[in-house]
Amino acid sequence: MGRVSPSVEKNGPSTYPTSAPPPRRYTRSKDRVKRRVPALASSSAWQRCLLIICAMAFSTFLFGNLFIHRMIETSEMRQNGHASFGQVIGRDVGKELLLIKKKAAEELRAIEHGAVVLKDKAKDEFRVIGRHAKDALHKVGDAVKRTGGGNGAGIGIVESVEVASGKAATVKKTAKAKKEAKAAVIPSRKLGKKGASLPKNKGNPDASYDPIKGPFLDPTVVPRDTRRFFRSIRDEKYETIEHPGNPSESMEVPKFFSPDPKVHRWHPTDDLLTRKEADSMFGHKSPWGDPTVYVAIASYRDWQCRYTVESIFGRAKFPERIRVAVVDQIAKGDDKCSAPIKPCFEDQEQALCKYSDRIDVFQMDAKLAVGPVFARHLGHRMYRGEYFAMQVDAHVTFVQGWDQDIIGQWTAAGNEMAVLSTYLTDVQGSIDENGHSLRNTRPIMCNTDFEGGKNKYLRHKSQPEGFPGILGSPQLEPYWAAGFSFSRGHFVTVVPYDQHLPMIFQGEEISITVRGWTQGYDFYAFERSVVFHMYATGANAEKRHKVKLFWENGSIYGKTEQPAMKRLLGIIGLKPELKEDEYSIKDLDLYGLGTHRKPSQFYKLIGIDVQKKVTEQHLCNFVTSGQMHHMFTPKIRKDGMGIDYEGIDYHFVDRH
């Protein structure tokens, strides 16, 4: 025996020597016969031939019989007017081919659909990647600014982001749009380039030319995505304050906005806000170069609040630049202003779904409510540096394109310190089904008088509504109204609502009027109404009467009203007989008067006698005719920082 192969040793020794291969057990031909026809393998040659002949005969008989049967069937079909045998075969084959073609077409369509789906998914992924890249680059730009890289470096990154976003979005512009985009200069990209000229856009009232700031909006910048670029109180820590109606109780509230991070409560460095401070500290604009708009709403158990929010965003020309802050004072079972009218999965286009990152809601228990002054004070705390600031009631309806219109009207005043404010017209009969105004008239503030008992105050009465006395510009008026106010953002920082006036309702408007006027602000009635109010009259009486009022807390905080009224009257000098030790002077550096203009001059200009507590009648004739406007607006300073009343010695006296 030879050596045992190592490869087979584990399975037992091999019976063959490893030096030679084992012999074949059978030949190839025999193997085939045995495997395929076992019977023939053991038979003789003549037997094999006989079996083959029999098999051939059987095959001939079988196929012949089938052929004859098919010929008979074809003959019968011919007699009955049917197709020939060849036609029958062709028809069957044709059917098979049609089925194959149909299946192939279906598969091809499926492949094409899959390709389209994959293409769309790829585009979506590309857009998402582009947005993430833009956000990352913006953050890098902000980081560069914070770490001392300077405006130039940060703006260079922002500019690169805008270019990259345009490429990533693959926006196709017409030749005309390209030409306009090339000629326009976007303010956000212009920063740091002194002396750059800016074109005038005559077709867009929102893009009115201003020699200092340039156009507000470049409409050729696309796309306008919904990327968040606003600051939010949700990202911040609150501070603790005393509840104005119960000092023993504390509240956590948002901090005031300060353009200087080193200063907790910011004030103008001089007695009057400067142009540099206004432009550099309160000029927040969107990534597309247009100004942002802050909207403050104070709501007390009002079901209509969320409809107001929907109106703000739904009818704005550019809702992306708007941020809304709501102080929602509610009780259990009330409709929340933060809750969409429908679930978001049913309608994602609702403002409270689509623009939820631009809506801040400060929710508080209705039992803590002490009137509109404190609620609006909280609203002023939620401002975060937006270019414009607006205040409205929780039950108003806007017209289409309101944001573009009101910004254009404000710009036409040519006064950085202009505040557009008025009592609003009733919504009934004022707006058509498409959201367009049906009114050619507008209200103007001019009618007020003293009322009250021991502590008399000025209360605004019904205001006249008519055709504008001034065309092409808002019209100067003496008073400010709480129901609607639109101004530059610095107004709510320089003249914030007084925290220490609980349970005040009448008196808040004259307080803001005098404090704002002494800080250098001027009040105007708009030329066209852009928003209307739902009053408890006519068809809306039943709806509005269902809404609760903060007076239901009178039994808890009612005793705080008289001390608060004394403070209000004492601060604005409406009750000069009051001594400082007779009312609270807490935080007068924040809630006191300005030093630029004297309150006594204001009262004299419009015919208010604070000693006798009387007003000159027929002031509205002086205001609505445009006489007041023509008399004082020529005194607007050359830098646009308000009317210069120095040297003006005017006293309105009723001549009727």
Side-chain angles (χ1 to χ4, degrees), residues 134-135 138-139 142 158 162 188 217 223-232 234-235 283-294 313 318-323 355-360 384-387:
K134 287 190 293 180
D135 292 339
H138 274 288
K139 289 179 181 178
D142 294 338
V158 172
E162 298 297 340
S188 61
L217 174 64
R224 299 178 66 88
D225 58 32
T226 57
R227 174 166 46 86
R228 174 182 169 184
F229 53 87
F230 287 104
R231 289 176 58 182
S232 171
R234 287 171 284 184
D235 306 328
H284 185 201
K285 296 183 179 181
S286 75
W288 313 283
D290 48 335
T292 52
V293 180
Y294 171 76
F313 284 99
F318 299 109
E320 306 88 1
R321 61 175 167 183
I322 298 169
R323 173 175 165 257
Y355 300 108
S356 59
D357 64 333
R358 288 162 166 77
I359 304 171
D360 280 335
R384 286 299 175 267
E386 288 81 8
Y387 200 95

Side-chain angles (χ1 to χ4, degrees), residues 49-59:
C49 292
L50 181 62
L51 286 172
I52 291 171
I53 292 170
C54 290
M56 292 176 64
F58 178 77
S59 299

Side-chain angles (χ1 to χ4, degrees), residues 360-373:
D360 280 335
V361 179
F362 182 86
Q363 186 174 304
M364 60 182 287
D365 191 338
K367 293 181 180 179
L368 297 175
V370 287
V373 173

